Amino acid sequence: MTQGGTAMYQDLASPAVPPLVLGAVELARRFDFTYTVHPMTGRLLAALAGGIRGTIGETGTGTGASVGWMLSTAPPETSIVSVEVDDDRAKAAADLFRNERQVTILSADANELAE
């Protein structure tokens, strides 16, 4: 997460940014959550996720922008599990990704990810 990261998406739009990332940024704005992943870091996560076959674990979902970046390139057999300690943000992110079978968003402490 990047402090002020949410504002960095102000002038970015599709196709430069995946639609689910834009959805997560909109959620961040509604929650007044400023720590969205920096767009360049998001692109790096997307590049890395494209080569993963298995499970990607993430702590600190926020509103799901990182998940959106990773999902944009993750192979179909890859799953993404992300945990968020804030219950409201976790629920909102889970709703955003409700139709994405590869994604699981948990409302939990980061230590839960190991389990």
Side-chain angles (χ1 to χ4, degrees):
M1 291 184 215
T2 303
Q3 184 174 3
T6 303
M8 294 179 188
Y9 289 85
Q10 187 73 22
D11 297 323
L12 300 179
S14 291
V17 180
L20 286 169
V21 174
L22 293 175
V25 170
E26 182 55 37
L27 283 176
R29 290 182 180 127
R30 280 194 265 159
F31 279 95
D32 199 27
F33 181 73
T34 63
Y35 289 94
T36 302
V37 66
H38 189 290
M40 295 304 287
T41 304
R43 288 183 180 97
L44 174 61
L45 290 170
L48 294 171
I52 301 296
R53 308 261 183 304
T55 302
I56 298 170
E58 177 197 40
T59 60
T61 309
T63 57
S66 294
V67 173
W69 280 110
M70 291 185 284
L71 184 62
S72 73
T73 61
E77 65 272 17
T78 299
S79 60
I80 301 169
V81 179
S82 185
V83 296
E84 172 56 45
V85 71
D86 182 276
D87 192 49
D88 291 334
R89 284 196 305 261
K91 286 178 184 174
D95 187 53
L96 178 66
F97 292 98
R98 70 187 171 281
N99 295 322
E100 304 301 327
R101 65 168 186 76
Q102 291 173 260
V103 176
T104 302
I105 307 291
L106 303 173
S107 177
D109 181 86
N111 293 318
E112 301 284 326
L113 187 60
E115 295 177 22

